Amino acid sequence: MISHTLPLAASGLKIDWTKMPTYNTIMSLAAGAGLILVVALGYRLLRPAGTVNLDGWVLAFGALGFILVTTGLHMTLTWPLAGQGFPFDNIIFGEPALGFGTLLAFAAFYLWKRGDTLLAAPDRTRRIAHIASPVSVLVFGLGLACFGIAAAGWKYTLFAAPPEEPISGEFADMPMLEASFMSSLYVLVGIGALLFPFALHRPRSPLALVVGAVWALAGVIFLFFGGLNYFTHIGLIVNTM
């Protein structure tokens, strides 16, 4: 899932990997896990009864936030990512990871410092909406960014793997296939992000169910696709050294 365009996916491709950082494997895993856990915590907080032990959620959000902030910040500030013709990787992977990771990190910090107060509030859902309303503007903006990335993926057939990449490379002659797959993932995340500010104030409405469903689905796909990329990227490196 290296963001190559089709002309670069020619037979005999060689890449100088000393100049080509490719860590969107761990980024995909962390982003997928983060989406799944955000939905899971939201479900637990919205339940009318029952307690929530926030310690594990603080650790999970903090760890995922750290991974996404460090990798996303480095990818965002390293411009271009490499001299191989893929500078759009900085925008496609680095910036969304940085934004999502920052949100997870600050959520972990807030739950650590004020989580007990939140849980003890008489109307927990209303307090959550009140606290999250300002940051929902950024979430909405990230949703717009996801739609922009998806549109670029379709228009410029980004994400197409070269034939040297195992599994994904089998479809190198069909660049729109992986472009559509990855762009559709960004669309799912974008739908949830655009609806989030509105669902925040109607947490038990069908709108909130849509947000949870698209984020959970995208999270599962990102998680498993990131795991698959550990094989495909290693194979690509071996085949193009």
Side-chain angles (χ1 to χ4, degrees):
M1 196 259 303
I2 298 289
S3 302
H4 297 124
T5 53
L6 184 60
L8 291 171
S11 179
L13 175 67
K14 298 297 180 183
I15 297 176
D16 183 0
W17 289 104
T18 63
K19 298 180 180 178
M20 182 60 183
T22 174
Y23 40 72
N24 49 16
T25 42
I26 189 65
M27 295 167 78
S28 179
L29 285 179
L35 288 169
I36 293 170
L37 291 179
V38 165
V39 174
L41 179 59
Y43 171 76
R44 284 164 173 77
L45 290 176
L46 292 176
R47 293 176 65 181
T51 59
V52 181
N53 187 341
L54 292 177
D55 291 343
W57 299 98
V58 169
L59 291 173
F61 285 178
L64 295 172
F66 176 79
I67 292 171
L68 290 172
V69 167
T70 52
T71 56
L73 184 64
H74 178 260
M75 186 178 282
T76 299
L77 298 181
T78 306
W79 185 268
L81 185 63
Q84 300 285 343
F86 318 129
F88 40 80
D89 274 4
N90 301 64
I91 300 172
I92 291 173
F93 301 117
E95 294 187 18
L98 176 60
F100 186 35
T102 302
L103 291 173
L104 288 176
F106 275 86
F109 180 76
Y110 178 83
L111 293 175
W112 174 51
K113 298 293 291 184
R114 303 295 296 276
D116 292 337
T117 303
L118 175 65
L119 293 179
D123 190 346
R124 194 160 65 190
T125 57
R126 180 175 296 181
R127 182 167 177 81
I128 292 171
H130 177 74
I131 293 168
S133 287
V135 79
S136 69
V137 177
L138 174 58
V139 176
F140 185 88
L142 289 173
L144 295 177
C146 285
F147 274 95
I149 291 170
W154 272 308
K155 179 174 177 58
Y156 302 109
T157 58
L158 306 180
F159 310 112
E164 288 81 3
E165 183 171 338
I167 301 178
S168 302
E170 298 295 326
F171 308 98
D173 58 343
M174 295 182 287
M176 280 302 296
L177 182 63
E178 192 163 8
S180 297
F181 173 75
M182 289 302 302
S183 291
S184 297
L185 273 181
Y186 276 98
V187 167
L188 286 176
V189 178
I191 290 172
L194 291 181
L195 296 179
F196 177 76
F198 309 100
L200 197 61
H201 297 279
R202 300 177 60 190
R204 292 185 174 87
S205 68
L207 204 60
L209 292 177
V210 173
V211 174
V214 294
W215 278 356
L217 178 59
V220 170
I221 297 174
F222 268 120
L223 187 73
F224 281 92
F225 194 58
L228 176 66
N229 279 342
Y230 275 91
F231 171 73
T232 62
H233 282 196
I234 290 171
L236 176 63
I237 292 171
V238 171
N239 292 334
T240 58
M241 286 190 303

